[in-house]
Amino acid sequence: MTSERSAPPTISEVAIEAGVGRSTAARTLGGYGYVSPELRERVLAAADRIGYRANALARSMSTGVSHTIGVIVADLANPFFGGVVRGISDAAHERGSDTVVISTNEHLSEEVAATNVLIDKRVDGIIIASAAVDAASATHIEQARDHGIPVVLVDRAIPGLGLDAVVIDNRAAARGAVERLIAAGHRRIGFVWGPPVPERPRRRREMIDAAARSLWTDGERLQGYLDALDDEGIVFDADLVMVGEKTEAHALQEVGRMLAMTDPPTALFCTETDALTGSLRALREARLRVAADVSLIGFDDSSWATVMEPPLTMIEQPMLALGTRAAEVLFAAVEGQDSRGELHTLDTRLIERESVAPAPRL
């Protein structure tokens, strides 16, 4: 009768099994120092026979390298972040590194806790899509750097922090989308997913300031919307900008409010997936048709946009490329390259389908 083992095999037991000294087994399993090919093969075979697994944390403490990077994103359920993480993990795998991914639901407190977990795990570097809006709210990121852990931002920049950030040109992407709607004759264009403030700013400057206090991407996309209006001399109307809670349910409510206005929008520009789905629900509840009644452009192209009726005109973000580039920048920092606080900007593409039609004649 045999008894179950109560504890995992140790380095000392591997050494006995291989017939070598403990220091030889430790150097082999820890990946440091010189061990002859013959002895290395004996130690690895012995470790495999008795089921030994290296303590990665202990090894990272002794060598200073964990071969693991941390990734913090806002919402893994969002296909955009799923694509970014795929790009990061593929690039890390090619370099022999593992990836630890944590989703924070866009809550800064969860992001702080996630950063502390990764610091404790002694990851080699961190890539983060942060909910922080400025350096004052990003002290946890500074803490990681104080521990010698390089940090690279992805999707969002944080003004005043001096970190490399891999982003798209949000302002240009939004401007191009709204220009397309204007070219189709639209002058009343709703902006869905504006500043998350409880009261609607009435003045243009106040709206910009409110967006600037939100996520960097939000401010950049609103500014692009305003740029396009300015170019055509279209007067800004605060009632055409969604404000408040950033959820699909609130987008439904806000777009419903816009559609009930005396002078409603003839087009909608939706800057997030939930903004788009909320807008589609609002159009359906109002018994309005996409394109025929209200034109629409969304962010984050996906396969489902092609099977809608009509198929949706969308901005395509280079999700995989964003992740791959962020990983490249991070590994350069891990290998000793100083961060220059550079904005690494990738291009987007406006994919024309059938959800934009000429504005109805008054």
Side-chain angles (χ1 to χ4, degrees), residues 4-310:
E4 292 186 2
R5 187 184 183 97
S6 60
T10 65
I11 289 179
S12 296
E13 289 172 311
V14 173
I16 294 170
E17 177 72 17
V20 300
R22 188 184 187 284
S23 60
T24 299
R27 288 197 302 275
T28 301
L29 299 172
Y32 62 91
Y34 174 77
V35 179
S36 70
E38 179 187 353
L39 290 181
R40 181 178 299 278
E41 185 177 342
R42 282 169 55 187
V43 170
L44 293 177
D48 185 60
R49 285 196 301 273
I50 68 173
Y52 174 83
R53 294 190 65 181
N55 185 326
L57 179 58
R59 183 172 60 194
S60 69
M61 292 176 66
S62 64
T63 65
V65 179
S66 67
H67 297 291
T68 302
I69 63 170
V71 180
I72 301 174
V73 296
D75 182 9
L76 268 177
N78 185 327
F80 167 75
F81 286 116
V84 171
V85 169
R86 174 66 182 273
I88 294 170
S89 61
D90 286 351
H93 180 72
E94 290 180 2
R95 291 175 175 263
S97 288
D98 296 320
T99 306
V100 176
V101 183
I102 304 177
S103 183
T104 65
N105 300 308
E106 207 72 85
H107 294 151
L108 190 58
S109 60
E110 293 185 28
E111 180 180 314
V112 171
T115 303
N116 289 332
V117 167
L118 296 176
I119 291 173
D120 290 342
K121 288 186 176 297
R122 287 176 163 78
V123 295
D124 297 331
I126 297 173
I127 297 173
I128 181 170
S130 181
V133 298
D134 53 27
S137 57
T139 55
H140 56 294
I141 295 177
E142 292 284 12
Q143 183 182 9
R145 292 203 291 179
D146 289 344
H147 279 79
I149 300 175
V151 179
V152 171
L153 303 174
V154 68
D155 182 51
R156 299 116 180 237
I158 302 177
L161 206 57
L163 284 175
D164 282 309
V166 180
V167 299
I168 64 163
D169 192 336
N170 287 278
R171 187 167 178 172
R175 185 175 190 163
V178 178
E179 286 175 344
R180 174 66 186 88
L181 294 169
I182 293 172
H186 297 278
R187 294 296 182 271
R188 300 285 292 169
I189 302 171
F191 183 88
V192 189
W193 216 252
V197 292
E199 295 184 6
R200 187 179 317 281
R202 304 310 309 178
R203 298 177 183 273
R204 173 194 172 98
R205 182 71 259 170
E206 293 172 344
M207 187 71 77
I208 294 173
D209 289 344
R213 293 192 298 272
S214 182
L215 292 177
W216 179 79
T217 49
D218 292 348
E220 290 290 294
R221 292 175 187 180
L222 178 61
Q223 190 62 65
Y225 165 81
L226 296 173
D227 289 343
L229 298 184
D230 290 346
D231 290 344
E232 295 296 325
I234 299 174
V235 177
F236 167 70
D237 184 347
D239 288 325
L240 291 178
V241 177
M242 169 182 163
V243 300
E245 186 181 10
K246 293 163 63 174
T247 63
E248 179 184 316
H250 191 63
L252 166 64
Q253 178 182 335
E254 277 284 88
V255 174
R257 175 192 59 77
M258 293 182 200
L259 296 174
M261 292 168 61
T262 303
D263 190 9
T266 61
L268 299 172
F269 174 46
C270 308
T271 68
E272 294 285 350
T273 299
D274 285 351
L276 178 60
T277 52
S279 296
L280 290 170
R281 288 175 58 194
L283 290 172
R284 183 177 62 189
E285 290 189 5
R287 299 184 182 278
L288 295 172
R289 298 163 296 169
V290 174
D293 298 312
V294 179
S295 290
L296 184 147
I297 294 179
F299 242 95
D300 296 345
D301 188 42
S302 64
S303 59
W304 67 265
T306 68
V307 298
M308 294 292 294
E309 184 56 45

